[in-house]
Amino acid sequence: MTNTADTLGWAYYYMGAFPAAINMLQDRLKNSPENPTYHYHLGLAYQKNRDYAHAKEQLERALTLHPTPVEADKIRKAVAENTGG
């Protein structure tokens, strides 16, 4: 399973099924814990699920993993919008 869990998690995210998205994305991170995109996606899913502490943790972790400049900008924007703190 390469990107399947991330893709499925992202599909759940866009369908508004945030708990299912979180489960899928957490599974994906078990196999690729150093991938900033997966942390970013999980952070966004946590945000939508109103779990702001975990969202912040994942988004900040994504930034430490050297995302592309474009992705880093998106992650910083998500951190700024994290209304839980």
Side-chain angles (χ1 to χ4, degrees), residues 42-63:
L42 181 56
L44 292 179
Y46 276 130
Q47 261 184 346
K48 290 291 189 174
N49 204 48
R50 297 183 177 156
D51 185 344
Y52 302 113
H54 282 112
K56 180 179 179 182
E57 177 183 316
Q58 292 302 316
L59 295 169
E60 289 178 349
R61 176 70 177 132
L63 286 173

Side-chain angles (χ1 to χ4, degrees), residues 7-82:
T7 302
L8 187 54
W10 210 222
Y12 283 134
Y13 173 88
Y14 278 104
M15 293 181 340
F18 305 119
I22 289 167
N23 287 336
M24 273 293 166
L25 295 165
Q26 285 173 331
D27 262 2
R28 185 64 192 124
L29 272 173
K30 289 177 187 174
N31 296 319
S32 297
E34 301 302 312
N35 186 309
T37 301
Y38 301 153
H39 285 280
Y40 170 54
H41 289 173
L42 181 56
L44 292 179
Y46 276 130
Q47 261 184 346
K48 290 291 189 174
N49 204 48
R50 297 183 177 156
D51 185 344
Y52 302 113
H54 282 112
K56 180 179 179 182
E57 177 183 316
Q58 292 302 316
L59 295 169
E60 289 178 349
R61 176 70 177 132
L63 286 173
T64 69
L65 296 172
H66 310 291
T68 66
V70 170
E71 192 167 52
D73 287 342
K74 291 178 183 178
I75 296 166
R76 285 187 201 94
K77 182 179 177 190
V79 169
E81 293 172 351
N82 191 27

